[in-house]
């Protein structure tokens, strides 16, 4: 049995329990992995209609002051200075050796920046970036405990949310945000972002109002409460990286196909030199997506072989609920990583053939 | 609460054993409690007809979204029928574990072995 005495709860904990959610320890929180609906049905609800996720466990840091952008640029890989007010970017924090501390989102407001980080890494991220802030004219605040986060995801997300908010949703572009009221709750950050590939919104707000917004949105029959299980299979169908599976402190963004969030030309940042060297020397391995014609369920940790040579383990894997085929990710030597390349994974002592395919696995998602 | 029918036998590993009209043949599947713990079943690997197993031998594998589990044969015997419907409809294990979600029919080596299994009350206490 797991002792859950030190786990935090989101402001919606009682609602998850009342809905019959299966609560599991995740990143220091008690989180719903699924509701009685089941992971597959929740996954499909998001692809076809809309799902509502409580992701209040995520960490949020606020950076204020004239040096905020310069500071953020010095600790992240993407170019925060290129952001317009009201725009979001996917980025990452690296160690000096170029490997991941974490991936993150960077929100640019008129007078501050918000960094959104993985719950499991929030303390480590803070310890990594906070000491570096002293060199800049800015102030860093951890507002994770004062921030609730709900993700409404699915092709019907805009239709569902619009009646509840004074923000005009249609003009908000993907990876942009505004601030408005939702279900009478003021000062909600309404962000057209998500981790599912579908159109949708992430709502950041004062946790004392979490129940109000949850109840308002789930009263719409098109909205299905969805847990972390569906969130994981949805993101994997899109080939979106998960820290701890696809990326961690042993790999760099260049190896993880995330070169697009690395802007070497923007100026210095932690990890830059290592990436410049890696780029000059050439990559030896890279993250690939794969499938298999066999009836198998690839899982994190299964050994991978190219010929007879071990090549690490499966990073992420599932039976795709939308495509109904096995899908997964792993790192392969660059010479064996081209689309169509064959390799094997070992499942309970048996070698199973797999083929490298292009990601995303699911190509008809509704995000825009 | 998980459904634990009174007229079945159980193992601590959450398989059930159900009698048939032939006293030497039993139906084997996993319990309602087990299917609920596993979550959505994605596929079930079952043995071929004619395979023989000893008690506690692994007779198959069940892949659910969250995890993979081995299936243990509650009793020694020979597989006389396999539920082929599970090939195309693995979710029957979730929706109807004691009915259409059954897995194999086994011809028992010895009917006396049934005494080694848990009663419904004992199993209910085990998962309690």
């Amino acid at each position: 049995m797991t002792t859950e005495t030190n786990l935090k709860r989101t402001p919606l904990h009682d609602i998850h329990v009342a809905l019959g959610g299966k609560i599991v320890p995740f990143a220091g929180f008690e989180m719903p992995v699924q509701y009685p609906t089941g992971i597959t049905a929740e996954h499909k609800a998001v692809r076809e209609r809309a799902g509502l996720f409580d992701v209040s466990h995520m960490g949020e840091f606020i950076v204020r002051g004239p040096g905020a952008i310069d500071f953020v640029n010095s600790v992240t890989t993407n170019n925060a200075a290129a952001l317009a007010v009201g725009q979001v970017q996917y980025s990452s924090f690296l160690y000096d050796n170029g490997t991941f501390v974490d991936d993150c989102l960077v929100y640019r407001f008129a007078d501050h920046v918000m960094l959104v980080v993985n719950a499991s890494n929030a303390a480590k991220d803070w310890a990594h970036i906070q000491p570096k802030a002293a060199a800049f004219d800015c102030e860093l605040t951890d507002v994770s405990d004062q921030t609730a986060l709900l993700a409404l995801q699915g092709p019907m997300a805009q239709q569902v949310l619009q009646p509840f908010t004074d923000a005009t949703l249609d003009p908000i572009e993907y990876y942009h945000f505004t601030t408005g009221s939702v279900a009478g709750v003021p000062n909600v950050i309404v962000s057209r972002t998500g981790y599912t590939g579908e159109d949708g919104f992430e709502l950041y707000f004062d946790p004392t109002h979490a129940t109000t917004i949850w109840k308002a949105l789930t009263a719409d029959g098109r909205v299905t409460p969805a847990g972390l299980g569906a969130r994981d299979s949805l993101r994997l169908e899109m080939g979106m990286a998960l820290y701890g599976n696809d990326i961690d402190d042993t790999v760099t963004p260049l190896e993880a196909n995330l070169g697009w969030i690395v802007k070497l030309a923007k100026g210095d940042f932690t990890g830059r030199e290592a990436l410049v060297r890696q780029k000059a020397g050439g990559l030896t391995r890279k993250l690939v997506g794969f499938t298999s014609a066999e009836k198998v369920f690839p899982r994190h940790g299964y050994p991978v072989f190219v010929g007879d040579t071990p090549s690490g383990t499966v990073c992420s894997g599932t039976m795709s609920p939308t495509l109904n085929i096995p899908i997964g990710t792993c790192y392969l030597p660059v010479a064996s990583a081209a689309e169509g390349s064959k390799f094997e994974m070992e499942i309970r002592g048996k070698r199973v053939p797999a083929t490298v395919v292009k990601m995303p696995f699911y190509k008809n998602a509704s995000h825009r | 609460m998980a459904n634990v029918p009174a007229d079945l036998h159980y193992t601590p590993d959450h398989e059930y054993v159900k009698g048939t009209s032939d006293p030497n043949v039993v139906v084997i599947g996993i319990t309602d409690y087990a299917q609920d713990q596993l979550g959505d079943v994605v596929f079930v690997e079952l043995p071929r007809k004619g395979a023989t197993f000893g008690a506690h031998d692994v007779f198959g594998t069940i892949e659910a979204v969250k995890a993979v589990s081995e299936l243990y044969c509650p009793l020694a015997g020979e597989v006389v029928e396999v539920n082929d419907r599970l090939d195309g409809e693995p979710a029957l294990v979730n929706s109807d574990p004691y009915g259409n979600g059954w897995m194999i029919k086994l011809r028992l080596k010895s009917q006396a072995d049934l005494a080694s299994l848990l009663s419904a009350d004992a199993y209910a206490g085990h998962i309690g």
Side-chain angles (χ1 to χ4, degrees):
Chain A
M1 294 303 284
T2 313
T3 313
E4 299 185 354
T5 42
N6 295 321
L7 296 176
K8 292 193 203 177
R9 290 175 170 183
T10 82
L12 292 164
H13 180 79
D14 291 349
I15 287 188
H16 302 316
V17 172
L19 286 170
K22 279 208 173 103
I23 310 294
V24 299
F26 181 84
F29 282 77
E30 289 182 58
M31 297 297 290
V33 68
Q34 64 164 94
Y35 300 91
T37 343
I39 293 175
T40 309
E42 291 166 21
H43 180 111
K44 289 183 175 167
V46 172
R47 288 273 178 256
E48 290 161 15
R49 298 181 302 277
L52 188 62
F53 300 83
D54 176 13
V55 279
S56 298
H57 61 307
M58 299 289 284
E60 293 86 10
F61 305 151
I62 300 292
V63 191
R64 273 181 204 281
I69 289 285
D70 285 344
F71 164 64
V72 170
N73 246 348
S74 76
V75 294
T76 60
T77 54
N78 210 332
N79 186 7
L83 283 171
V85 171
Q87 197 177 3
V88 191
Q89 80 186 176
Y90 183 50
S91 191
S92 63
F93 309 120
L94 304 183
Y95 291 109
D96 285 325
N97 69 0
T99 65
F100 286 97
V101 178
D102 201 0
D103 57 348
C104 64
L105 291 177
V106 180
Y107 282 74
R108 184 167 190 174
F109 292 79
D111 62 348
H112 67 277
V113 174
M114 178 169 75
L115 302 171
V116 183
V117 303
N118 282 303
S120 53
N121 291 334
K124 179 182 79 173
D125 295 342
W126 179 263
H128 176 74
I129 68 171
Q130 203 273 339
K132 302 181 196 292
F136 295 85
D137 187 6
C138 69
E139 192 189 345
L140 191 58
T141 321
D142 182 350
V143 296
S144 304
D145 291 344
Q146 291 86 53
T147 311
L149 174 54
L150 292 181
L152 178 68
Q153 300 280 298
M156 293 182 180
Q158 181 176 316
Q159 292 168 49
V160 168
L161 183 59
Q162 187 60 79
F164 293 106
T165 179
D166 58 2
T168 308
L169 299 178
D170 198 58
I172 304 174
E173 292 177 61
Y174 194 48
Y175 271 72
H176 286 72
F177 66 96
T178 187
T179 305
S181 75
V182 174
V185 175
N187 302 316
V188 177
I189 299 166
V190 179
S191 169
R192 194 162 218 145
T193 46
Y195 198 40
T196 64
E198 297 304 325
D199 190 18
F201 297 89
E202 294 182 300
L203 310 172
Y204 300 83
F205 54 93
D206 177 344
T208 56
H209 300 298
T211 306
T212 306
I213 295 185
W214 177 277
K215 286 197 164 157
L217 295 177
T218 52
D220 186 313
R222 294 171 292 183
V223 177
T224 303
L228 295 179
R231 184 170 156 85
D232 188 48
S233 50
L234 287 157
R235 69 93 196 162
L236 180 54
E237 282 185 340
M238 297 310 297
M240 293 172 168
L242 171 63
Y243 189 94
N245 280 29
D246 308 287
I247 57 174
D248 60 22
D249 60 9
T250 67
V251 297
T252 72
L254 303 181
E255 294 167 325
N257 286 326
L258 292 173
W260 63 277
I261 64 167
V262 175
K263 301 290 153 59
L264 294 174
K266 74 172 180 172
D268 198 27
F269 60 89
T270 309
R272 182 180 180 279
E273 274 179 46
L275 296 185
V276 168
R277 277 198 307 273
Q278 188 177 49
K279 205 165 184 175
L283 295 180
T284 57
R285 57 174 179 172
K286 62 179 278 205
L287 185 69
V288 299
F290 67 81
T291 184
S292 172
E294 306 287 309
K295 193 171 178 182
V296 291
F297 195 124
R299 294 184 193 273
H300 177 71
Y302 286 175
V304 169
F305 295 87
V306 177
D308 282 326
T309 311
S311 179
T313 56
V314 170
C315 296
S316 292
T318 195
M319 189 73 183
S320 163
T322 313
L323 305 169
N324 206 27
I325 53 167
I327 59 170
T329 60
C330 66
Y331 284 89
L332 291 180
V334 166
S336 312
E339 212 180 318
S341 300
K342 310 280 185 199
F343 66 95
E344 289 179 319
M345 57 188 153
E346 189 181 295
I347 303 185
R348 290 183 295 284
K350 214 174 93 185
R351 294 282 184 92
V352 176
T355 306
V356 176
V357 295
K358 203 172 163 156
M359 293 193 280
F361 301 101
Y362 177 60
K363 295 174 173 47
N364 298 316
S366 62
H367 77 79
R368 42 188 207 174
Chain B
M1 278 305 293
N3 178 17
V4 182
D7 54 337
L8 307 187
H9 301 279
Y10 299 89
T11 70
D13 298 323
H14 313 292
E15 285 89 14
Y16 69 80
V17 173
K18 184 159 98 175
T20 65
S21 54
D22 181 341
N24 290 310
V25 175
V26 295
V27 178
I28 291 166
I30 64 162
T31 65
D32 183 44
Y33 174 83
Q35 71 75 21
D36 184 63
Q37 291 292 308
L38 285 170
D40 294 346
V41 173
V42 179
F43 55 82
V44 186
E45 241 179 79
L46 294 175
R48 291 215 174 83
K49 199 170 145 176
T52 58
F53 295 100
H56 316 298
D57 283 359
V58 172
F59 76 89
T61 307
I62 186 161
E63 294 270 8
V65 176
K66 279 181 290 183
V68 58
S69 309
E70 314 232 270
L71 296 163
Y72 295 96
C73 203
L75 301 161
E78 179 189 345
V79 178
V80 293
E81 200 179 333
V82 176
N83 185 1
D84 295 329
R85 269 187 82 184
L86 294 185
D87 212 25
E89 300 170 82
L92 288 171
V93 175
N94 294 115
S95 60
D96 192 11
Y98 300 116
N100 291 321
W102 66 277
M103 291 172 179
I104 55 172
K105 289 184 184 168
L106 197 73
R107 180 173 301 280
L108 298 179
K109 203 171 158 193
S110 160
Q111 263 181 276
D113 291 349
L114 282 167
S116 66
L117 300 176
L118 300 176
S119 68
D121 278 351
Y123 179 68
H126 174 65
I127 61 176

